[in-house]
Structures are given as structure tokens and as C-alpha cells.
Amino acid sequence: STGVVKMQPKAEELKFVTKNDGYVHIHPSSVNYQIRHFESPYLVYHEKIKTSRVFIRDCSMVSVYPLVLLGGGQVHMQLQKGEFVISLDDGWIQFVAASHQVAELVKELRCELDQLLQDKIKNPSMDLCMCPRGSRIIGMIVKLVTTQ
């Protein structure tokens, strides 16, 4: 009979932060507008518009590993206050890794994926699933993302 129950924010109160625009809101026409809780705090979006405030449309939630593996920019790892931190986009996005090994493995997997994609660009006929290196890298990424 006493105490406080934490309420989810109303759709119009939910906001996210972008590097260049500060706070943005999900546009009311978006299918995600009524979603009041996302498992991950990160969204990717296709369109950003400014009317009464800045809105994003065509957005999807993205979890940490796909963001680290497929996001733009370089991946960096450093030790901060005893924790291993993986950073993207010149340090604007940061994640604390479970251990030094996890941080190193994720960084190495990202480097391998980047190299594999460069190889594919150079040789478009290459079948990534049939070459042993490509299938191992893709298999590891699938396993990591699906068991996250």
C-alpha cells in the first residue's frame, strides 16, 4: 500500500541522444512510437527531420555486438578505472567489456570482418559462406549475436 512503482515514460517523453543533434524523439508516425521500453539503449535510424523538435523515423533497436561489429568508424579498446572499455566513433559510444579477453576478441572479430568485406569488394565473385575463412568469421558473428 506504500511505495513507488516505476512507470515507463509516455511515448512523447521518450528521447534518445545523437552526437550532432542532442536529444531526438521517435516520430509519431513511426511504428516504434508507442514502444516505451527498448532492451538496448541504441537505435539506428534512416531519416531525421526537424519540425517542432528533432525526430527520427524508420528506426530499429540494435544491441551492443551488432553495433560494435557493423557500426562505422574504428573500434578502440582501453583500460579505464580497472575496466576494459570498447569505444566507437572517437569515444562517443562506449561499452564496458566483461573482461580483457572479451574486449580483445570482439576487437579482433571486427578487424577480421572488416578485412573479409574488403576482400569481397576486391573479388565480388567470392562466396563468403563457401570459403573457410569467411564461413568461420560469419559463423562466429552469428553465434555471438544470437547468444548475446
Side-chain angles (χ1 to χ4, degrees):
S1 67
T2 62
V4 177
V5 176
K6 185 175 180 180
M7 302 275 298
Q8 296 292 337
K10 295 177 184 168
E12 62 274 4
E13 297 172 337
L14 190 62
K15 54 189 171 185
F16 295 87
V17 180
T18 65
K19 186 175 182 179
N20 298 326
D21 297 298
Y23 289 109
V24 297
H25 301 266
I26 298 175
H27 195 274
S29 68
S30 173
V31 295
N32 285 328
Y33 180 70
Q34 293 300 325
I35 305 295
R36 294 166 43 172
H37 174 74
F38 293 92
E39 293 297 317
S40 171
Y42 303 101
L43 296 180
V44 293
Y45 62 89
H46 176 7
E47 185 177 27
K48 181 172 51 172
I49 59 171
K50 184 174 183 177
T51 54
S52 58
R53 52 187 168 175
V54 180
F55 291 99
I56 57 173
R57 287 199 289 214
D58 304 323
C59 60
S60 295
M61 184 200 74
V62 63
S63 55
V64 172
Y65 287 128
L67 186 60
V68 171
L69 295 172
L70 302 169
Q74 295 292 317
V75 175
H76 299 283
M77 185 191 69
Q78 58 191 36
L79 183 62
Q80 292 180 357
K81 299 179 183 176
E83 296 181 311
F84 292 96
V85 176
I86 299 170
S87 64
L88 300 170
D89 200 13
D90 298 326
W92 192 74
I93 300 173
Q94 297 184 345
F95 311 100
V96 175
S99 69
H100 179 258
Q101 280 182 314
V102 170
E104 284 290 343
L105 289 171
V106 168
K107 184 178 177 185
E108 186 62 30
L109 186 57
R110 169 64 186 265
C111 290
E112 288 291 328
L113 177 61
D114 287 348
Q115 185 58 54
L116 184 65
L117 294 174
Q118 286 295 326
D119 294 345
K120 177 67 174 173
I121 290 168
K122 290 177 187 169
N123 182 7
S125 63
M126 182 172 83
D127 186 341
L128 296 179
C129 294
M130 296 305 287
C131 75
R133 182 172 161 260
S135 64
R136 282 194 312 270
I137 293 168
I138 292 169
M140 183 60 69
I141 291 170
V142 169
K143 185 175 182 180
L144 181 65
V145 169
T146 57
T147 60
Q148 181 175 4

